[in-house]
Amino acid sequence: ARSLPLPTKKESVLTPRQLHVVCALIRCWRTTAPGHGPRPNARLLENVMWIMVGTSARIGEVLGMQRADVDVTTLPATARIGATIRYTKKQGLHRKPAPKRLRQRRRVALPTLAAEAVRDQLVLAGPEPDAYLFATKTGRPLSVSNVERLLRAFVMDNAVELRRADIDVGEFTTHLFRRTAATIVESVGGISLASRLL
């Protein structure tokens, strides 16, 4: 039997310059919701981006982070990636107490921009150790689909500027940030360190 054709593997990554372009576009976008004042939840999009780039965590793993998982009192600040947000018909939206694979639990040193994003979210999070960094008004975790929908809206509204910066709009998903993190680490520390981080 012949093997089924696999979909084309996405290989786009963002350069450091492109990351700062995206950041500037997000900051401008969140203040220009037509007729509605500041755009809700756009601030968290920037923080999600920097935490994903700084940790190489998947979007569900970032949304699953709780106050007890981060330590910003050390130098460098650290984040424990030990859970993920999932949706199933049986359980609904819930926190699975392990990343995608159990062996992928890890503690990651946070670069400066990721640490700033974590501090920003801690200000908004509840005081309890199990308070989510990214939560709804009722304290429930944000869903992956809500963040991905917000990112798609940002990409649609800024497609021209993103293309002008040589960013592949068709591959601009949350996973782009994870690939970018791996590429940056691989260029500085080698392929084995990048694969360990992933």
Side-chain angles (χ1 to χ4, degrees):
R2 288 180 309 181
S3 58
L4 291 170
L6 295 172
T8 307
K9 193 172 182 180
K10 293 182 177 180
E11 296 180 350
S12 288
V13 295
L14 298 173
T15 65
R17 182 189 65 81
Q18 289 172 327
L19 276 171
H20 287 287
V21 167
V22 171
C23 179
L25 288 172
I26 290 174
R27 287 179 180 178
C28 181
W29 182 69
R30 75 183 190 205
T31 60
T32 56
H36 301 293
R39 192 180 300 267
N41 289 336
R43 178 176 167 192
L44 75 84
L45 189 59
E46 180 185 345
N47 290 339
V48 163
M49 178 186 83
W50 287 125
I51 294 171
M52 288 188 76
V53 170
T55 62
S56 81
R58 297 172 180 87
I59 182 60
E61 294 166 349
V62 170
L63 297 180
M65 285 183 183
Q66 296 177 326
R67 182 177 283 277
D69 295 325
V70 296
D71 186 353
V72 293
T73 63
T74 60
L75 194 63
T78 62
R80 180 179 176 273
I81 299 165
T84 190
I85 297 299
R86 292 188 60 203
Y87 178 84
T88 61
K89 285 185 178 179
K90 186 175 181 180
Q91 295 177 285
L93 190 67
H94 66 284
R95 184 179 194 254
K96 176 186 161 195
K100 187 174 182 181
R101 293 176 184 85
L102 195 61
R103 62 182 165 78
Q104 292 178 332
R105 283 192 178 126
R106 58 210 185 272
R107 183 164 288 279
V108 178
L110 297 174
T112 305
L113 289 168
E116 287 175 10
V118 166
R119 287 186 185 96
D120 199 28
Q121 289 304 129
L122 284 171
V123 170
L124 303 173
E128 307 83 12
D130 62 349
Y132 291 99
L133 294 191
F134 297 93
T136 63
K137 289 178 181 175
T138 60
R140 300 272 303 141
L142 285 178
S143 70
V144 170
S145 59
N146 277 349
V147 176
E148 288 176 338
R149 191 179 309 118
L150 183 65
L151 182 63
R152 283 193 301 272
F154 163 75
V155 171
M156 283 177 54
D157 289 350
N158 294 278
V160 172
E161 291 86 354
L162 291 169
R163 287 192 187 99
R164 198 175 292 142
D166 294 324
I167 296 171
D168 187 340
V169 174
E171 290 194 11
F172 202 113
T173 65
T174 55
H175 202 69
L176 177 63
F177 303 134
R178 183 168 156 82
R179 289 197 305 271
T180 297
T183 303
I184 291 170
V185 171
E186 191 269 336
S187 69
V188 176
I191 191 82
S192 61
L193 184 61
S195 62
R196 279 178 58 206
L197 183 64
L198 291 175

